[in-house]
Amino acid sequence: MKYLFKILVFFLVFDVNAQTALLKGTIKDSLNNEILTGVTISVNQKLGTKTNENGDYTLKLPSGKYKMNVSYTGYQSKSVDIELKEQETQVLNISLLLKSKELNIITVSGSKFAKRAAEEIVSIEVIKPAQILSMANNSMDDALQRVPGVDVVENQVNIRGGAGWSYGAGSRVLVLVDDMPMLTADAGDAKWDFLPLENCEQIEIIKGASSSLYGSSALNGVINFRTGFARSKPRTKMMLYNGMYGNPADKSWIWWDKQQPGFQGGYFMHSQKFGNLETVFGSAWYSEDSYLQGDLTRRGRMNLNLRYTFKKLEGLSIGINSNLQKNKSQTFFFWQPDSNGTKYYQPFGGLDDSSTTVNKNRGQRINIDPYIQYVTKGGAKHVLRSRWFRSKNNIPEKKQSSVADTYFGEYQFQKAIGAEHGLLKDVNVVSGVMGSYSNIVGELYGNHTTFNIAPYIQLEKKIQKLWTSLGVRYEFNQVDAYKIEKKPVFRAGVNYELDQATFIRASYGQGYRYPSIAERFVSTSFGASRVFPNPGLKSETGWSAELGIKQGFKFGSWMGFIDVAGFWTEYKDMMEFNFGLQLPADSTILQVHNVQDYIGFKSINVGTARINGIDISIMGQGNIGPLSSKVILGYTYMNPLQINPDSITKANLSGPTNTLKYRYRNSVKFDFENTFKKISIGNTLLYNSNMQNVDAVFQNSKPNENVFGRLFEYGTHIPSTVNEFRNKYNKGTFIWDLRLAYQLSKQTKIAFVVKNMLNRVYAERPAIISPPRNFTLQLSLDM
């Protein structure tokens, strides 16, 4: 009887399969041939499926005649009549015609699933690789300076004034590479030159608290660097560039002879499919002898991405991404003070080994990211991703060496529910759990371990033209064996498509950041100052809210969008480095041998901060006569305030106002490019208003309230030179960059780029000066 039952089941299944046909294909943009993710495919007015991240779809249907409808927001819908025969496999590739390109940029970061940026509940900016490479950027942080609402102060990024400059320790902006954190385990900072620009698909920037999706360090926003995969056709990209720093406006600052300081570099990338195996290999190198005396950089990088898609196990793919970089660098923290102000380009203490403050570092970065992904026939997506990330610094002369390892893992489940009726109709579910373990061994901090685990869930439902979103995450953090924290964080928002190209959004998100190992345990000296640990440093929390509108436009040949957002952010127990007398616990000034040994910086909780303002972005492209033109314009106004600071905190603000340190109140970003046949000319204009407040000790601006500024001046004479520099040059910074490119052939382009065209003098932070006018010649190949 058992065997008869098996035979009966066999013939029943065989009969069903015999009547089933397979319909599959790929859906792309009709103009640029880009794949389209998340396209809705319905059959006879019933939901069938959606395209995956490769733009592919698969449908199993009984034989017969059907009307297939293909729809995607922002694209013209298409209907196709099809007829399927028994056991037939029919391939149907479809191209959709775009309505408005700028409104249909697809992002993943805002909701953890593919979605149009215009439909997100928060502000999102997208950078394409062409924007980065056209400006001869050799590191990601330089490219970020050109994004509306984003500023970088000496390698430390902030979004809408959410952070300032914290001496390289800690970050309120979480940097991701392929949806996984890429902040070092010790300092909690981003290594921008480690990001593989040669294999960049796009960069997505979330403005506002995103801790409910990504956890600690996403207090101020997220930058997600997404690498690319091989397409149907092999692709090879190469670039070589050579650059030179010009002379400063004040010729007395020149320390070099006839040989101008300069830099050179290049990169290579090749992607290709071999059957079901996708491969991407890249490499890059960079060498610089800086305009700053004694400052140099040497680095080389290689990366490999592999992904294999199984044919017999439909929906299953496995892969591994890896990136390795070795670097050598020399840097200094403070310039050399002198009575004539002629040594701004030279290091404090000079170059003599007995007195120099130049740090010599031989570093290494490596990440290896294995992952597995399975998409069921019902559309459920399961992803298991992991990462090992090592950051190693070797600075033996200064006793600042460290090795920091992070082991990260995440399981994620996604499902677009297509129920016919009820609350579950058109609901996207994203849920999962993240975990990480870090081990830090270092002379700077001692030896420490951290552990983090966080389950999360986000629900998004579309009700006609209204997107609603609700997310929650529960953070569990442990430092060493004793410091344990637990914290829930929430996020909610809506996005309503008021008209065909009008989107109104509102959102509220909580943020949370626990201190980095460096902020809690660092004990060292830099330049002429000391830094003290603070093991009792508390985590900071906060929230951000936003109300915004994105309006698409079309005037003649011009098409684009205008985005306006009002934002409000508040922090509690905000962490900042403050300068002062840092006595050991339970000690008084009378109990220490030498008071000078206890004067320096320490990260402390400074209380409550509030930042509000407005952020405006305009992006468009069109024709001006025979010219093909692109324009990006952004303006950000912010009001970053310390709320009711105590006397110690206020004494550390250099100016009379309660403005947070190292922020600009007004920022303008403008880029305009025109192309005529094979020639293109682009201009980038950047403006930041004056930086009102820095650490008071750097200027000795409050000698009666902060006596340590006097001591710092007496020991180094740095504050007087900083004060002189800021009085002369801190009046707002206007930078003009110019680029000229010529398309030699379909695959080859040559470009000449001039940065800081007007040779303006400015500094992003005290006692280190920014680059003078510099020139770059680059040759690129893309085939």
Side-chain angles (χ1 to χ4, degrees), residues 692-722:
Q692 292 186 5
N693 282 334
V694 298
D695 286 289
V697 67
F698 286 146
Q699 282 188 262
N700 189 22
S701 56
K702 295 182 176 179
N704 296 325
E705 301 172 50
N706 192 335
V707 296
F708 305 112
R710 295 184 185 180
L711 295 172
F712 196 52
E713 170 65 22
Y714 176 77
T716 67
H717 303 294
I718 288 174
S720 57
T721 61
V722 171

Side-chain angles (χ1 to χ4, degrees), residues 301-539:
R301 181 176 62 236
M302 292 191 302
N303 45 80
L304 177 66
N305 287 11
L306 300 172
R307 182 168 69 176
Y308 184 82
T309 304
F310 292 84
K311 270 190 174 180
K312 293 184 178 180
L313 296 172
E314 187 178 336
L316 179 64
S317 61
I318 60 174
I320 185 168
N321 299 343
S322 58
N323 193 14
L324 169 66
Q325 177 174 292
K326 288 196 172 184
N327 55 276
K328 173 185 176 183
S329 64
Q330 294 182 187
T331 58
F332 62 85
F333 200 84
F334 291 131
W335 61 41
Q336 176 68 49
D338 75 315
S339 57
N340 298 319
T342 61
K343 296 184 178 180
Y344 289 134
Y345 283 5
Q346 299 175 46
F348 183 81
L351 296 179
D352 188 89
D353 289 339
S354 62
S355 60
T356 187
T357 58
V358 173
N359 270 8
K360 299 178 181 179
N361 181 17
R362 289 184 178 271
Q364 177 183 303
R365 323 265 183 250
I366 182 171
N367 71 273
I368 299 175
D369 309 342
Y371 64 90
I372 183 170
Q373 177 178 297
Y374 178 63
V375 181
T376 68
K377 293 178 182 179
K381 183 178 180 181
H382 303 266
V383 182
L384 183 62
R385 55 172 68 99
S386 59
R387 165 170 290 158
W388 169 54
F389 175 36
R390 166 170 285 188
S391 176
K392 181 179 181 181
N393 297 304
N394 186 20
I395 316 174
E397 293 90 345
K398 303 294 182 181
K399 296 183 179 181
Q400 296 178 352
S401 300
S402 64
V403 178
D405 290 302
T406 297
Y407 305 89
F408 174 86
E410 178 186 12
Y411 165 73
Q412 185 183 110
F413 170 80
Q414 293 185 21
K415 174 68 175 175
I417 301 175
E420 292 289 337
H421 304 287
L423 291 175
L424 292 180
K425 184 179 180 181
D426 295 327
V427 171
N428 288 291
V429 179
V430 180
S431 64
V433 59
M434 291 182 181
S436 66
Y437 172 80
S438 298
N439 184 53
I440 299 98
V441 178
E443 297 172 296
L444 275 172
Y445 330 104
N447 301 341
H448 300 279
T449 60
T450 67
F451 173 73
N452 167 265
I453 189 167
Y456 62 89
I457 185 170
Q458 176 168 287
L459 303 176
E460 296 213 4
K461 178 178 173 60
K462 191 171 186 180
I463 306 171
Q464 295 182 346
K465 294 184 177 183
L466 176 68
W467 275 100
T468 61
S469 177
L470 178 65
V472 61
R473 180 188 185 98
Y474 192 82
E475 285 274 336
F476 176 94
N477 294 297
Q478 183 172 4
V479 179
D480 297 328
Y482 63 92
K483 186 69 176 178
I484 300 175
E485 293 184 6
K486 301 174 185 178
K487 180 73 177 177
V489 285
F490 300 89
R491 184 178 86 149
V494 294
N495 184 306
Y496 182 70
E497 187 174 358
L498 185 65
D499 204 350
Q500 186 175 356
T502 306
F503 299 83
I504 299 174
R505 65 183 181 274
S507 64
Y508 168 87
Q510 293 179 327
Y512 165 68
R513 185 175 81 88
Y514 55 88
S516 66
I517 292 296
E519 288 169 299
R520 268 197 174 123
F521 300 108
V522 64
S523 179
T524 187
S525 62
F526 62 90
S529 182
R530 296 195 62 187
V531 186
F532 295 87
N534 185 5
L537 189 64
K538 294 188 292 185
S539 296

Side-chain angles (χ1 to χ4, degrees), residues 9-20:
V9 170
F10 172 81
F11 279 108
L12 286 172
V13 173
F14 180 83
D15 185 62
V16 172
N17 288 337
Q19 298 178 29
T20 300

Side-chain angles (χ1 to χ4, degrees), residues 193-210:
D193 57 23
F194 183 54
L195 303 185
L197 294 181
E198 60 275 14
N199 183 25
C200 174
E201 183 73 17
Q202 70 180 27
I203 296 100
E204 301 168 6
I205 303 168
I206 303 176
K207 299 178 179 179
S210 303

Side-chain angles (χ1 to χ4, degrees), residues 59-334:
L59 282 171
K60 286 187 177 181
L61 299 167
S63 57
K65 295 182 180 180
Y66 298 92
K67 179 177 287 293
M68 186 174 80
N69 294 302
V70 182
S71 61
Y72 196 43
T73 309
Y75 283 78
Q76 297 179 14
S77 299
K78 181 175 284 190
S79 296
V80 181
D81 293 318
I82 56 175
E83 182 175 356
L84 298 174
K85 299 178 181 179
E86 292 182 6
Q87 294 184 291
E88 177 188 15
T89 298
Q90 188 175 133
V91 178
L92 180 61
N93 298 323
I94 296 175
S95 296
L96 295 182
L97 187 63
L98 186 68
K99 291 180 181 177
S100 172
K101 184 174 181 179
E102 282 74 19
L103 289 174
N104 290 282
I105 295 175
I106 301 301
T107 65
V108 174
S109 307
S111 302
K112 280 187 176 284
F113 65 89
K115 187 179 177 183
R116 287 198 308 154
E119 295 178 322
E120 292 289 0
I121 64 170
V122 293
S123 293
I124 292 186
E125 299 281 350
V126 176
I127 309 176
K128 291 293 186 178
Q131 296 171 252
I132 302 171
L133 300 175
S134 66
M135 282 304 303
N137 298 311
N138 60 73
S139 182
M140 187 64 223
D141 54 333
D142 194 22
L144 291 172
Q145 289 278 32
R146 289 155 175 75
V147 178
V150 179
D151 291 302
V152 182
V153 180
E154 199 188 36
N155 302 321
Q156 293 188 265
V157 66
N158 79 77
I159 297 174
R160 294 173 173 171
W165 174 64
S166 58
Y167 308 85
S171 176
R172 293 190 183 95
V173 177
L174 181 60
V175 178
L176 307 172
V177 175
D178 294 326
D179 303 313
M180 289 184 286
M182 193 62 88
L183 297 179
T184 60
D186 48 5
D189 66 336
K191 302 301 182 187
W192 300 110
D193 57 23
F194 183 54
L195 303 185
L197 294 181
E198 60 275 14
N199 183 25
C200 174
E201 183 73 17
Q202 70 180 27
I203 296 100
E204 301 168 6
I205 303 168
I206 303 176
K207 299 178 179 179
S210 303
S211 291
S212 66
L213 281 177
Y214 296 102
S216 179
S217 292
L219 188 64
N220 183 217
V222 171
I223 297 173
N224 191 4
F225 184 102
R226 296 175 58 197
T227 61
F229 293 101
R231 304 298 188 197
S232 55
K233 294 182 179 179
R235 185 183 186 189
T236 300
K237 294 193 302 180
M238 290 185 287
M239 178 182 284
L240 292 173
Y241 57 90
N242 199 301
M244 180 185 73
Y245 291 106
N247 291 330
D250 189 332
K251 301 302 186 291
S252 67
W253 299 354
I254 298 174
W255 55 266
W256 53 85
D257 295 321
K258 295 182 180 179
Q259 181 68 40
Q260 295 288 133
F263 50 91
Q264 52 276 156
Y267 73 79
F268 168 84
M269 190 282 292
H270 179 74
S271 63
Q272 188 170 353
K273 281 187 175 182
F274 298 94
N276 294 341
L277 178 65
E278 301 172 36
T279 64
V280 182
F281 172 76
S283 64
W285 65 276
Y286 180 73
S287 177
E288 177 185 14
D289 291 290
S290 175
Y291 64 97
L292 299 173
Q293 189 181 37
D295 188 298
L296 62 83
T297 302
R298 308 282 187 269
R299 66 173 179 262
R301 181 176 62 236
M302 292 191 302
N303 45 80
L304 177 66
N305 287 11
L306 300 172
R307 182 168 69 176
Y308 184 82
T309 304
F310 292 84
K311 270 190 174 180
K312 293 184 178 180
L313 296 172
E314 187 178 336
L316 179 64
S317 61
I318 60 174
I320 185 168
N321 299 343
S322 58
N323 193 14
L324 169 66
Q325 177 174 292
K326 288 196 172 184
N327 55 276
K328 173 185 176 183
S329 64
Q330 294 182 187
T331 58
F332 62 85
F333 200 84
F334 291 131

